[in-house]
Amino acid sequence: MPRKPRPDDALPFPTREAVLRFITEHPTRATKRDIAKAFDVKGEARVGLKLLLKELEGEGLIERHAKRLSQPGALPPVLVCEVVSRDAEGDVFAEPVTWDEENGPPPKLLVLAKAGRRQEGGINPGIGDRILGRITDMPRGYEAVARAAVRPIKLLDRRPEGIMGVVRLTAGGARVSPISKKQHHEFVIDTEHLNGAEDGDLVTLDVHRAGRYGLPQAKVRERVGSMKSEKAVSMIAILANEIPYVFPDAVIAEAEAAPAASMAGREDWRDLPLVTIDPADAKDHDDAVHATPDPDPANPGGVIVTVAIADVAAYVRPGSALDKEALKRGNSVYFPDRVIPMLPERISNDLCSLKEGVDRPALAVRMIFDESGHKRRHSFHRVMMRSAAKLAYQEAQAAVDGRPSERAAPILETVLRPLWDAYAVLSRGRAAREPLELDLPERKVLLKPDGTVDKVVTPERLDAHKLIEEFMIQANVAAAETLEAKRSPLVYRIHDQPSLSKIESLSDFLQTLDLKIAKQGSFTAGIFNRLLTKVENHPNAQLINEVVLRSQSQAEYSPLNIGHFGLNLRRYAHFTSPIRRYADLIVHRALIRALGLGDDGLPTGIEERLERIAADISAAERRAMQAERETIDRLIAEWLSDKIGATFRGRIAGVTKAGLFVKLADTGADGFIPASTIGADYYAYDEVRHALVGSRTGETYQLGDTVDVKLVEVAPLAGAMRFEILSDGRSGRPMARSRLRSSLRHPDRSGERNAPRKTYGPRRGR
């Protein structure tokens, strides 16, 4: 569109990009007058500027609020925000209380304050406080740590419900040490304000006085429980990892108001005897299975396998309060005796739980395999089903092994044996595919009625577990294949092959055991499997399994497919657990849209957001795993805190320059042995052999070695233990001088790589 010419002596007319940049960088000074002044637009040229701004507004690149211009999704000039953190330099940060998740995660706002001084106007907000603030220009140097700056106008209220800590009784009162890393000071509590809390209890606080000097004073609002209990310990992990655990009222209201799904648009599969097979203590049942021989004479020995998954998409609509909260959580988080669910119980434990004998909506896939386990074809269906039986893994296995329960006996021949026959067929296909087969048993913490640790066990790995796992893998593959064929956007579950540097490190380590693996070429999971099969009876078989595991990449979610190395699959997407994983809900919606199964599929424009969503749910998964590990660490540490001086048998599970990590045989608990406490020699770190080697004697402590240790220190709040080693190391030769100098010269970068990995709790989806 032509614009009026400018006088020769004026500045060049601003470009579209320059105007947009100005609006972004000056959130409080972005009216047409401000822009004209900034670019020296005068006289008749103002008409051209007006037309330019109308163009930008018409294209949706800017919005107009009265006279103020802003980009879509920009922060309003005045807003209510909550103070969420303070960094080591004393800078305070907040987030908007109300924020549309469609515009991304809540932005981080710098609360303008000078360290050690009150805010202007006498406002001195602390963590948990809500303030009315005005957006202002960002000070220089803060652009990388916050999106915008906010100047407090008014302190609205204090919201200290996020403050939780451990009571430590003192003379005349108590102090509380906060468990959040964001809070850098203790709280003082008078005796009359302890509310029944005792020394060592985990409590929540109400802060009732916080002056400029001294520690803030508080009252105990609630006694969560003894630090010895799982409830208290898991709550620490929940808050420390910032895991949302309280559903907003709007989310609960939406869940409670949800009506049961109808038969509209569904196939009637209620006569098909699908069964659920889950852990004995499972509260929700989101997958059901069925199998039968294929009657097609062209497929002798073939089977038809059906997997039905709870139709969560029928209740959790895109953009709803339930949907936004589910995305925020990313997944359910599992602790030894509790679950922080992704969806409220009304959805997860009721409407979407495939209860025995109850009509439930489902999204099902029917797959046909030939006798070699190769899939011939599959189809997806939106159905209404009715579970024929709810079985535990052990119950289903016992029935097939000849010990049927009263519940399993009627369906043994008609339902269970065909399932096991189909599993035998699929196992042939799995063997031909050669997924990575690591022998790393999982451990599970069992609790007493009071929430304290009873014992740690290694559950038996049954064919029932393997059957369900393989059926779910095949359903996930079918979902990815269908959506690729339909050219639909989706979130893949990807697992990259090991990096060249990790392969080189693994190869160097194996050479120390006279074993070989190629350092170059095309790697497959089968190469690792052949190595692991070769060393099954090797004295260091467990060690080799762990080193192979540490060479692997971490699985994650992505809209871009690179395949799944561990499962040896070209395409793979999570479809089978939409109750507890947001990634699966996306895949369900994609199938609904791609196959025309309803109007509640993927929304238009989701493609532009999938990369960010995939990154968010991958981070949520890592956050959940971290919280679960920390809870186990703290529970075990507290459990063993009264056994100082006791001796244990264990195995070296990690080696760093600083010392040894030892995993106890009976409990799987981890502790640390500083290198400085090992013998009278100086022990250098041999990165290739994953070992500490005496510089004079050659005495060697290597990853995987069995050792006796004594417990000398326990820190339950940190979940840490320190051991003293009692066993002598294996005989060896001192490191060559060149390697010894290298180990001394280079800082240890192996701590994270060699840190022990825990495998407690329920199995996670691959």
Side-chain angles (χ1 to χ4, degrees):
M1 182 176 294
R3 299 188 179 93
K4 299 281 186 177
R6 301 196 46 168
D8 293 339
D9 58 348
L11 294 174
F13 194 84
T15 63
R16 292 162 55 94
E17 292 74 18
V19 171
L20 289 172
R21 186 165 57 250
F22 179 87
I23 292 173
T24 301
E25 294 175 353
H26 300 82
T28 62
R29 295 184 289 110
T31 64
K32 185 177 73 172
R33 182 176 180 179
D34 293 326
I35 297 171
K37 183 176 180 181
F39 291 100
D40 196 24
V41 179
K42 300 177 179 178
E44 294 182 354
R46 287 177 175 268
V47 177
L49 178 60
K50 181 179 180 180
L51 293 174
L52 172 59
L53 295 176
K54 281 192 173 182
E55 286 179 12
L56 296 174
E57 188 176 357
E59 295 171 14
L61 297 176
I62 61 174
E63 295 177 345
R64 187 182 301 272
H65 303 278
K67 293 184 178 182
R68 178 175 167 269
L69 301 169
S70 66
Q71 289 187 316
L75 293 161
V78 176
L79 75 168
V80 177
C81 51
E82 183 172 341
V83 178
V84 296
S85 65
R86 178 186 290 109
D87 65 16
E89 285 72 38
D91 290 317
V92 177
F93 297 92
E95 291 180 356
V97 170
T98 302
W99 181 254
D100 187 351
E101 293 289 342
E102 295 289 331
N103 296 321
K108 192 175 184 181
L109 308 175
L110 172 68
V111 180
L112 289 185
K114 295 182 179 180
R117 298 184 183 180
R118 286 183 176 273
Q119 294 280 358
E120 293 186 16
I123 300 174
N124 186 29
I127 295 173
D129 291 353
R130 289 193 175 190
I131 59 174
L132 181 67
R134 186 184 304 279
I135 296 296
T136 188
D137 292 343
M138 178 77 76
R140 288 186 179 180
Y142 284 89
E143 293 82 358
V145 297
R147 173 169 162 182
V150 61
R151 189 176 300 282
I153 299 173
K154 181 181 181 181
L155 180 62
L156 299 178
D157 58 1
R158 296 192 179 275
R159 299 289 296 272
E161 57 265 33
I163 298 179
M164 179 173 285
V166 179
V167 173
R168 180 165 52 86
L169 296 181
T170 61
R175 289 194 178 190
V176 173
S177 301
I179 59 95
S180 174
K181 296 177 182 178
K182 294 179 178 179
Q183 294 159 352
H184 302 286
H185 55 73
E186 294 182 325
F187 297 88
V188 177
I189 301 179
D190 293 334
T191 305
E192 62 268 25
H193 295 149
L194 281 171
N195 197 17
E198 300 176 357
D199 191 66
D201 281 351
L202 183 68
V203 297
T204 59
L205 301 177
D206 283 322
V207 179
H208 65 92
R209 194 169 69 199
R212 292 181 64 182
Y213 306 104
L215 295 176
Q217 295 191 359
K219 299 178 181 179
V220 172
R221 183 201 310 155
E222 179 187 2
R223 177 180 178 267
V224 178
S226 168
M227 274 295 296
K228 296 178 184 236
S229 71
E230 192 276 343
K231 179 182 178 183
V233 174
S234 61
M235 184 57 72
I236 291 176
I238 289 167
L239 294 180
N241 290 279
E242 300 181 338
I243 294 174
Y245 68 100
V246 177
F247 285 107
D249 292 342
V251 174
I252 296 295
E254 192 173 283
E256 293 298 328
S262 69
M263 279 294 302
R266 299 182 183 278
E267 300 175 40
D268 191 346
W269 281 23
R270 288 175 290 184
D271 290 336
L272 185 70
L274 290 149
V275 296
T276 62
I277 305 177
D278 293 294
D281 57 354
K283 293 182 175 60
D284 56 65
H285 310 274
D286 59 353
D287 57 80
V289 293
H290 178 267
T292 185
D294 187 2
D296 185 355
N299 187 27
V303 293
I304 301 174
V305 172
T306 301
V307 175
I309 306 298
D311 191 355
V312 178
Y315 299 102
V316 183
R317 299 298 183 102
S320 65
L322 278 167
D323 181 48
K324 292 176 181 178
E325 184 67 16
L327 175 55
K328 180 180 178 181
R329 295 180 178 225
N331 48 245
S332 298
V333 187
Y334 293 85
F335 298 104
D337 199 33
R338 68 188 296 191
V339 178
I340 305 300
M342 185 181 79
L343 296 167
E345 288 191 5
R346 164 68 172 160
I347 302 296
S348 60
N349 292 7
D350 185 8
L351 294 176
C352 288
S353 185
L354 307 181
K355 298 180 178 182
E356 182 178 343
V358 179
D359 292 359
R360 285 290 182 259
L363 195 59
V365 56
R366 179 173 283 156
M367 301 171 285
I368 300 177
F369 297 86
D370 63 24
E371 61 180 348
S372 67
H374 173 74
K375 189 177 67 181
R376 303 183 71 180
R377 61 185 179 275
H378 68 264
S379 59
F380 281 89
H381 309 261
R382 209 167 191 187
V383 307
M384 185 68 73
M385 61 160 285
R386 182 184 297 154
S387 173
K390 179 188 75 171
L391 301 175
Y393 285 117
Q394 293 79 4
E395 186 180 14
Q397 188 68 56
V400 174
D401 292 342
R403 305 184 308 278
S405 65
E406 184 177 343
R407 187 200 308 265
I411 61 171
L412 175 58
E413 298 300 329
T414 57
V415 177
L416 294 181
R417 291 206 186 280
L419 280 172
W420 259 253
D421 292 342
Y423 170 59
V425 172
L426 266 62
S427 294
R428 298 180 199 132
R430 179 184 176 89
R433 191 176 78 241
E434 288 194 292
L436 185 60
E437 303 281 4
L438 289 168
D439 182 19
L440 295 169
E442 298 186 355
R443 290 181 171 88
K444 184 175 182 179
V445 173
L446 300 182
L447 303 176
K448 299 176 183 177
D450 64 358
T452 59
V453 176
D454 181 19
K455 56 185 175 180
V456 180
V457 299
T458 302
E460 184 181 3
R461 180 91 165 122
L462 304 172
D463 281 346
H465 294 100
K466 299 174 185 176
L467 180 153
I468 294 299
E469 181 178 86
E470 188 60 27
F471 280 24
M472 297 305 117
I473 288 174
Q474 292 299 333
N476 290 337
V477 171
E481 289 176 346
T482 293
L483 291 173
E484 263 200 10
K486 294 291 185 178
R487 299 185 181 277
S488 169
L490 77 151
V491 171
Y492 292 93
R493 180 66 167 178
I494 63 170
H495 181 219
D496 203 355
Q497 68 177 17
S499 65
L500 181 59
S501 62
K502 288 186 176 181
I503 291 295
E504 289 177 345
S505 296
L506 174 62
S507 177
D508 291 343
F509 164 71
L510 292 174
Q511 286 180 14
T512 68
L513 302 176
D514 295 324
L515 297 168
K516 292 183 179 180
I517 190 171
K519 291 186 178 182
Q520 297 178 355
S522 177
F523 283 93
T524 65
I527 292 176
F528 292 104
N529 288 339
R530 286 186 280 278
L531 167 67
L532 297 174
T533 300
K534 181 179 179 180
V535 302
E536 278 183 356
N537 299 317
H538 195 284
N540 289 311
Q542 186 73 13
L543 164 63
I544 295 168
N545 270 268
E546 291 202 2
V547 176
V548 169
L549 172 64
R550 296 174 189 194
S551 71
Q552 304 303 308
S553 302
Q554 185 173 15
E556 60 183 344
Y557 296 104
S558 173
L560 301 177
N561 185 31
I562 61 171
H564 196 295
F565 177 82
L567 293 175
N568 200 12
L569 293 168
R570 294 178 60 187
R571 53 189 65 83
Y572 190 65
H574 273 167
F575 159 75
T576 53
S577 293
I579 284 178
R580 65 183 181 92
R581 294 186 306 222
Y582 195 83
D584 303 55
L585 180 55
I586 292 176
V587 171
H588 275 233
R589 290 171 175 166
L591 288 166
I592 290 168
R593 187 174 87 173
L595 300 175
L597 298 177
D599 60 358
D600 45 2
L602 278 182
T604 303
I606 189 69
E607 296 85 349
E608 299 175 0
R609 300 174 52 222
L610 279 185
E611 185 173 358
R612 181 176 60 80
I613 290 174
D616 287 346
I617 58 180
S618 295
E621 179 183 49
R622 292 190 292 270
R623 177 182 68 187
M625 294 173 67
Q626 176 77 8
E628 292 165 10
R629 283 197 299 265
E630 289 176 358
T631 297
I632 296 297
D633 287 345
R634 292 185 176 110
L635 279 172
I636 297 292
E638 180 62 49
W639 186 42
L640 296 178
S641 61
D642 60 352
K643 295 179 174 60
I644 301 294
T647 59
F648 301 90
R649 174 61 60 92
R651 185 173 48 81
I652 297 176
V655 183
T656 72
K657 193 177 224 180
L660 306 172
F661 290 96
V662 173
K663 183 187 294 290
L664 302 186
D666 293 338
T667 65
D670 286 308
F672 186 65
I673 301 173
S676 59
T677 67
I678 304 175
D681 203 348
Y682 176 84
Y683 289 83
Y685 175 54
D686 187 335
E687 185 174 4
V688 172
R689 296 167 61 194
H690 297 266
L692 289 181
V693 181
S695 59
R696 290 186 297 101
T697 63
E699 184 181 35
T700 300
Y701 292 94
Q702 188 175 27
L703 186 71
D705 286 352
T706 298
V707 293
D708 292 320
V709 297
K710 180 170 73 173
L711 181 61
V712 295
E713 184 180 359
V714 177
L717 189 60
M721 291 183 288
R722 184 166 64 84
F723 297 135
E724 175 186 317
I725 197 157
L726 302 178
S727 301
D728 294 331
R730 64 175 70 182
S731 299
R733 292 186 301 176
M735 291 174 62
R737 289 185 176 275
S738 60
R739 293 182 61 196
L740 178 61
R741 284 195 298 270
S742 176
S743 71
L744 296 175
R745 182 166 56 249
H746 296 295
D748 180 27
R749 296 184 295 272
S750 59
E752 181 178 351
R753 179 174 63 252
N754 288 323
R757 297 189 182 211
K758 293 191 178 297
T759 52
Y760 293 106
R763 292 182 64 82
R764 288 200 165 273
R766 294 171 181 263

